[in-house]
């Protein structure tokens, strides 16, 4: 681990497109998650569900309930976006604990991409739910003088999302790498356990903040 | 620090693809199963609710029926009482009718028996009276009465019209006549009677004299087919018959009354 944590290693170049490490790792995670979903949902039963089905239903139902409580609305339309956001962030954050892998979220591009998706999704959902004019009028609330500040607030919220996620995950991995290089094999284990917790916490925080932003955009909760 | 725009773009696309993949292979089937289970649960719950409502309705119905039981019982008791009263009245009417009928029959039978007894008593009284009169008259001076009664008998023959007298003669040349008297008849009286009869009948009369004490007093002229009676025996018999007929008519009138 001699590379700078702020650099994004390129795995291969596809024409003009450099395919970096977080992209490749994300592909792997996507494949694993999609394949796992296909396998886990092959034999769903209404009566007497198995353990895997029970866990799946528990996860999906918990996600839906959390999103509904956060957005104060029916969570089903937002479940694919926000649920996938949480699951991907959790899996991606924890993937950094696997030897030889580096969490995609430890790169600023991945965090920025997710924050960009949340930003664009909130704008699109807000316009679709409230109408273009009503949505744009929301930026001039309570007074048109605050229009620049509100627009800036939208951008900075997305920026803070990405930087928070990137900083926490990257710093955790960086600390573990430093301690591992200095103290030996078993000393970083407590730090890795802490990183496990932090990864889940960061996934939760990112998802809840995204739900708040989207809820504010569609008008189900007060815009923060 | 260098931020790769291609990586941002690729990661955003990757994330959107992952959203579609998980929506297709995770959320949709799991949510469908959950919805199906909730629907099944709702069906069971609604069935249970329907069963509960049906049970409540049945309970209410039973309660209503229980509430109407006293009224129904009173109605049945009243109907049974009315029926028993009607039956009792019918029995009483029938018994009264039968009793009246029996009473009428008894009265009729009693009246008939009384009439019979009264008739028998009257007949007995008449017989007794007749016997008493016969005994009393037997000791009377019957001889002195024979002649006038003989005169009456002859007068009765003389009073008949011609055809009747011819019928008494019966076409004979000498008319046989038996003269029965209560006591011995003198020759003079016999001759006098023969002469009057010969004159009345228009032909000779063969008079046969006999004595019959049962006549008490008086005579009887016995022709071939007829008898002319002028005796107390006949008078008493006619009186007895008249008295019996008169009493029977009066008894019948009393019975009718």
């Amino acid at each position: 681990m001699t590379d700078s944590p702020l650099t994004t290693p390129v795995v291969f170049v596809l024409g003009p497109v450099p395919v970096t490490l977080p992209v490749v790792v994300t592909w792997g995670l996507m494949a694993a998650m999609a394949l796992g979903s296909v396998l886990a949902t092959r034999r769903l039963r209404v009566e007497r569900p198995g353990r895997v089905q029970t866990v799946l239903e528990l996860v999906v139902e918990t996600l839906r309930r959390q999103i509904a409580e956060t957005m104060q609305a029916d969570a089903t339309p937002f479940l694919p976006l926000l649920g996938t956001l949480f699951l991907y962030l959790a899996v991606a954050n924890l993937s950094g604990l696997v030897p030889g892998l580096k969490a995609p979220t430890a790169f600023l591009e991945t965090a920025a991409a997710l924050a960009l998706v949340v930003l664009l999704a909130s704008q699109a959902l807000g316009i679709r739910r409230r109408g273009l004019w009503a949505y744009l009028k929301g930026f001039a609330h309570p007074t048109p003088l605050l229009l620049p500040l509100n627009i800036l607030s939208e951008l900075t919220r997305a920026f803070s999302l990405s930087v928070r996620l990137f900083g926490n995950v990257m710093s955790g991995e960086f600390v573990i790498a430093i301690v591992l290089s200095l103290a030996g094999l078993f000393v970083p284990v407590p730090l890795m356990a802490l990183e496990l917790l932090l990864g889940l916490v960061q996934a939760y925080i990112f998802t809840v903040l995204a739900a708040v932003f989207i809820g504010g955009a569609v008008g189900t909760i007060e815009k923060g | 620090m260098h931020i790769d725009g291609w990586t941002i773009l690729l990661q955003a696309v990757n994330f959107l693809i992952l959203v579609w993949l998980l929506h297709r292979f995770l959320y949709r089937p799991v949510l469908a199963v959950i919805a199906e289970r909730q629907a099944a649960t709702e069906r069971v719950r609604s069935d249970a609710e329907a069963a509960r409502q049906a049970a409540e309705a049945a309970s209410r119905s039973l309660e209503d029926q229980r509430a109407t039981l006293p009224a129904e019982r009173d109605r049945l008791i009243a109907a049974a009482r009315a029926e028993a009263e009607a039956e009792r009245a019918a029995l009483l009417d029938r018994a009264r009718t039968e009793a009246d009928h029996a009473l009428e029959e008894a009265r009729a039978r009693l009246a008939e028996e009384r009439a019979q007894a009264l008739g028998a008593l009257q007949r007995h009284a008449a017989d007794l009276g007749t016997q008493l009169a016969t005994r009393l008259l037997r000791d009377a001076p019957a001889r002195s009465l024979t002649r006038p009664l003989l005169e009456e008998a002859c007068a009765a023959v003389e009073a008949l019209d011609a055809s009747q007298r011819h019928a008494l003669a019966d076409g004979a040349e000498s008319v046989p006549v038996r003269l029965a008297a209560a006591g011995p008849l003198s020759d003079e009286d016999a001759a006098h009677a023969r002469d009057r009869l010969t004159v009345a009948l228009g032909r000779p009369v063969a008079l046969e004299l006999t004595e019959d004490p049962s006549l008490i007093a008086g005579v009887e002229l016995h022709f071939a087919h007829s008898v002319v009676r002028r005796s107390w025996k006949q008078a008493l018999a006619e009186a007895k018959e008249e008295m019996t007929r008169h009493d029977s008519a009066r008894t019948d009138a009393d019975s009718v009354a």
Side-chain angles (χ1 to χ4, degrees):
Chain A
M1 189 65 66
T2 54
D3 296 337
S4 166
L6 300 179
T7 59
T8 306
V10 176
V11 179
F12 59 92
V13 177
L14 199 62
V17 180
V19 178
T20 56
L21 180 62
V23 173
V24 174
V25 174
T26 297
W27 284 345
L29 296 177
M30 286 169 61
M33 293 173 72
L35 188 62
S37 297
V38 170
L39 293 176
T41 56
R42 270 190 314 174
R43 294 175 183 172
L44 296 180
R45 290 176 299 187
V46 175
E47 296 180 354
R48 288 183 294 182
R51 291 180 181 176
V52 176
Q53 180 181 344
T54 304
V55 172
L56 281 181
E57 290 183 13
L58 179 66
V59 169
V60 171
E61 199 55 37
T62 304
L63 286 172
R64 188 164 66 167
R65 190 167 57 249
Q66 284 292 327
I67 294 168
E69 288 177 0
T70 305
M71 296 183 67
Q72 304 292 314
D74 179 22
T76 306
F78 309 103
L79 179 64
L81 176 66
L82 296 175
T84 304
L85 190 61
F86 174 79
L87 292 177
Y88 172 70
L89 283 173
V91 172
N93 291 344
L94 299 182
S95 67
L97 299 176
V98 178
L101 279 184
K102 189 171 175 63
T105 45
F107 296 96
L108 186 57
E109 287 87 349
T110 302
L114 296 177
L116 185 64
V117 168
V118 170
L119 176 64
L120 295 178
S122 63
Q123 308 309 313
L125 290 171
I127 291 170
R128 193 173 76 175
R129 188 65 66 93
R130 299 165 61 182
L132 178 62
W133 181 243
Y135 180 72
L136 292 178
K137 269 177 58 176
F139 286 103
H141 185 76
T143 168
L145 294 176
L146 294 178
L147 181 63
L149 288 178
N150 284 335
I151 294 174
L152 186 62
S153 166
E154 289 287 318
L155 297 176
T156 53
R157 283 193 311 191
F159 181 72
S160 69
L161 264 182
S162 62
V163 170
R164 182 187 300 110
L165 177 64
F166 162 69
N168 277 284
V169 178
M170 182 273 292
S171 61
E173 287 198 355
F174 195 59
V175 168
I176 290 172
I178 291 173
V179 172
L180 186 63
S181 62
L182 293 176
L185 187 59
F186 295 106
V187 177
V189 169
L191 291 174
M192 292 175 73
L194 181 63
E195 183 63 18
L196 187 72
L197 179 64
L198 282 177
L200 294 175
V201 169
Q202 285 305 314
Y204 177 76
I205 290 173
F206 195 102
T207 305
V208 167
L209 288 175
V212 169
F213 296 159
I214 293 174
V218 299
T220 56
I221 57 175
E222 190 68 26
K223 210 168 185 178
Chain B
M1 179 179 178
H2 172 72
I3 297 177
D4 184 19
W6 283 111
T7 301
I8 292 175
L9 184 61
L10 284 174
Q11 288 293 70
V13 171
N14 285 341
F15 177 74
L16 293 177
I17 292 172
L18 183 62
V19 168
W20 182 83
L21 285 173
L22 291 189
H23 177 60
R24 172 71 179 78
F25 296 111
L26 179 63
Y27 302 124
R28 188 185 294 174
V30 172
L31 288 176
V33 167
I34 292 174
E36 195 173 347
R37 185 180 297 119
Q38 285 177 341
T41 305
E42 183 62 25
R43 275 198 304 275
V44 172
R45 196 195 65 76
S46 62
D47 290 347
E49 180 67 18
R52 189 185 65 81
Q53 289 180 353
E56 284 184 354
S59 174
R60 280 197 299 272
S61 174
L62 282 176
E63 196 65 31
D64 292 344
Q65 287 180 2
R66 189 183 301 166
T68 58
L69 276 180
E72 180 69 14
R73 184 195 60 198
D74 293 344
R75 191 185 65 77
L76 287 175
I77 290 174
R81 280 180 178 164
E83 188 177 355
E85 189 66 27
E87 191 170 354
R88 189 177 72 90
L91 285 173
L92 281 176
D93 287 345
R94 195 158 59 239
R96 190 175 293 118
T97 303
E98 289 178 355
D100 292 345
H101 185 64
L103 189 61
E104 287 297 323
E105 283 184 349
R107 280 177 178 167
R109 192 165 57 247
L110 189 63
E112 186 181 355
E113 288 176 355
R114 189 179 67 176
Q116 288 176 356
L118 191 57
L121 191 62
Q122 285 171 348
R123 279 191 300 274
H124 182 66
D127 289 342
L128 196 62
T130 304
Q131 290 174 5
L132 185 60
T134 301
R135 183 177 297 173
L136 289 175
L137 290 173
R138 188 172 294 153
D139 298 335
R143 187 181 300 272
S144 60
L145 294 173
T146 301
R147 180 172 292 175
L149 292 174
L150 180 61
E151 292 290 336
E152 281 186 15
C154 292
V157 172
E158 289 168 356
L160 297 173
D161 55 24
S163 61
Q164 289 174 330
R165 288 197 302 268
H166 183 70
L168 287 176
D170 197 21
E173 287 295 326
S174 176
V175 180
V177 176
R178 186 171 61 89
L179 173 61
L185 195 64
S186 65
D187 295 336
E188 183 184 359
D189 290 336
H192 179 70
R194 183 183 305 116
D195 293 341
R196 289 189 65 177
L197 292 174
T198 300
V199 172
L201 297 175
R203 60 192 66 186
V205 172
L207 193 64
E208 181 188 359
L209 295 178
T210 59
E211 192 172 339
D212 186 1
S214 66
L215 295 180
I216 303 172
V219 297
E220 287 180 355
L221 294 174
H222 293 264
F223 294 91
H225 301 293
S226 302
V227 178
V228 176
R229 293 185 176 91
R230 284 297 183 271
S231 65
W232 282 18
K233 175 185 177 183
Q234 183 210 358
L236 287 172
E238 288 178 352
K240 176 183 174 185
E241 183 181 356
E242 179 68 23
M243 186 171 58
T244 304
R245 185 167 61 245
H246 177 70
D247 289 342
S248 298
R250 194 177 59 187
T251 303
D252 293 341
D254 290 344
S255 301
V256 171

